[in-house]
Amino acid sequence: MKTLKAMMIGLALVAVCGFANASPKTSTDVNTTKQEVLDTYMNALVHGNLEGISNAIADNARFYVVQGVRVRTTDKKDVLAYLKSNAHIDQNCAFTGTVLSQDDNTLVEKVEMKFKEITRTDVVTAQRTDDGWKITKVETSFK
């Protein structure tokens, strides 16, 4: 009986220590750096890998696409639908990223996707939010 009692107390101590030592996962664990957020966006756009893309884009993000003299505005929902329609499709292009500006709370990067006859340029803004780094604005043009 003493052995059973000692074993139960030992198990209880292990459980209490385990729960006390466990740390809750925060939303910033997913995209902890600004570069991870941009890499997630690029992987979705260029390679069709959608893992983490919904979390990488802020709910209130705005997307602007220049079409001739018009600028079309869209939101996260529409962009996610577009990316899902191109899931697992590897774009046949060369792509580069160039940091235009950055500080502790904002990163602006120019991303170019060079296809055979056209170049897509995205100017992507990522900002530190209460939920970690998120893409808050993308401006797209074609040449």
Side-chain angles (χ1 to χ4, degrees), residues 97-114:
T98 306
V99 174
L100 299 177
S101 68
Q102 67 177 317
D103 59 34
D104 291 341
N105 296 309
T106 305
L107 171 67
V108 179
E109 184 165 330
K110 177 179 155 183
V111 176
E112 288 189 323
M113 296 173 58
K114 295 183 180 188

Side-chain angles (χ1 to χ4, degrees), residues 31 35-53 56 83 86-91 93 95 111 113 122 135:
N31 293 310
Q35 194 57 53
E36 287 174 344
V37 170
L38 289 170
D39 289 346
T40 299
Y41 177 73
M42 287 305 301
N43 277 326
L45 196 61
V46 176
H47 302 295
N49 178 358
L50 304 182
E51 184 178 339
I53 190 61
L83 291 172
N86 289 298
H88 310 294
I89 297 174
D90 204 11
Q91 301 295 322
C93 66
F95 62 94
V111 176
M113 296 173 58
D122 285 7
I135 293 170

Side-chain angles (χ1 to χ4, degrees), residues 1 7 14 31 40 42 49 73 94-95 101 103 107 115 118 126 128 131 133 143:
M1 189 68 166
M7 194 164 70
V14 169
N31 293 310
T40 299
M42 287 305 301
N49 178 358
T73 304
F95 62 94
S101 68
D103 59 34
L107 171 67
F115 296 90
I118 194 167
R128 184 189 310 267
D131 294 326
W133 282 92
K143 296 182 214 172

